[in-house]
Amino acid sequence: MSVESLTYVALGARLKISREAARSLAKRLRLPRSHSDDGKALVSVDLVGIRYTPRPPGGRQECNIALLAAKIEALKAEIARLEARAADHRADFERERERADRLTVEMLQATAETMAAKEATARLEGEVAALRAGGRAGRSIDSHGRTASRLGHLAAIIVEADRKACG
């Protein structure tokens, strides 16, 4: 068991690894360190006690690169598919929005027509009530002439309302 003091460069050369890998290994194994007279770091190491086999360079990275490239392509295809689907949903949304706007306009028109019809109905009911009350109150000739005039006016209003409803 011979302990040697080596720089990171020398340790890397003995283990056939880079200086950075040797420094990382020394840290990981918690090897004692000191400084030489020229300021370089020295590591006290028993090379027989270290059972270190370096990984083959680049083999793992090439596999990862190919795997990652395939994954990127799959994700790009998924993004394209989702964008197409989003465009379809957007078109459906726009179509339904236009339909809802048309239905809202139709509903507002129907509401306005209903309110106008209710007002006309109330007015006509008032006219009918006035005619009935006038007919019961007295049967004078003057009263009868106004009643006929009111009936003619009422008939004209009904015909006009009917034409508006049909037209």
Side-chain angles (χ1 to χ4, degrees):
M1 195 156 97
S2 68
V3 176
E4 297 180 47
S5 290
L6 301 172
T7 64
Y8 292 127
V9 174
L11 179 61
R14 292 261 184 107
L15 296 175
K16 298 178 183 170
I17 58 175
S18 69
R19 181 183 67 85
E20 290 81 16
R23 185 170 183 260
S24 176
L25 179 66
K27 278 185 173 181
R28 196 170 45 247
L29 296 176
R30 296 184 180 155
L31 299 176
R33 288 179 272 182
S34 62
H35 290 286
S36 67
D37 293 334
D38 60 354
K40 292 185 180 182
L42 295 174
V43 180
S44 299
V45 62
D46 180 14
L47 290 174
V48 177
I50 294 179
R51 299 203 191 289
Y52 178 77
T53 55
R55 293 183 183 152
R60 184 174 144 218
Q61 287 182 351
E62 289 174 10
C63 179
N64 281 346
I65 290 172
L67 182 64
L68 290 174
K71 201 173 227 180
I72 287 170
E73 290 304 315
L75 289 173
K76 283 181 181 178
E78 180 70 11
I79 288 170
R81 185 184 68 79
L82 290 174
E83 284 176 344
R85 192 169 178 195
D88 289 343
H89 287 304
R90 184 67 182 176
D92 289 344
F93 169 77
E94 292 296 330
R95 214 174 15 257
E96 289 300 317
R97 177 116 189 223
E98 289 172 5
R99 183 172 161 252
D101 290 343
R102 281 193 313 270
L103 290 174
T104 301
V105 168
E106 288 177 15
M107 186 179 74
L108 290 173
Q109 288 174 345
T111 302
E113 289 173 5
T114 302
M115 294 303 292
K118 284 183 180 181
E119 290 172 3
T121 302
R123 193 176 65 242
L124 292 175
E125 286 175 351
E127 293 277 336
V128 169
L131 287 174
R132 286 185 182 155
R136 291 184 188 143
R139 299 276 182 188
S140 67
I141 297 174
D142 188 54
S143 162
H144 181 64
R146 272 196 314 205
T147 304
S149 170
R150 279 187 161 171
L151 278 174
H153 181 66
L154 183 61
I157 291 173
I158 293 172
V159 168
E160 182 182 338
D162 188 45
R163 285 182 182 160
K164 282 183 182 178
C166 293

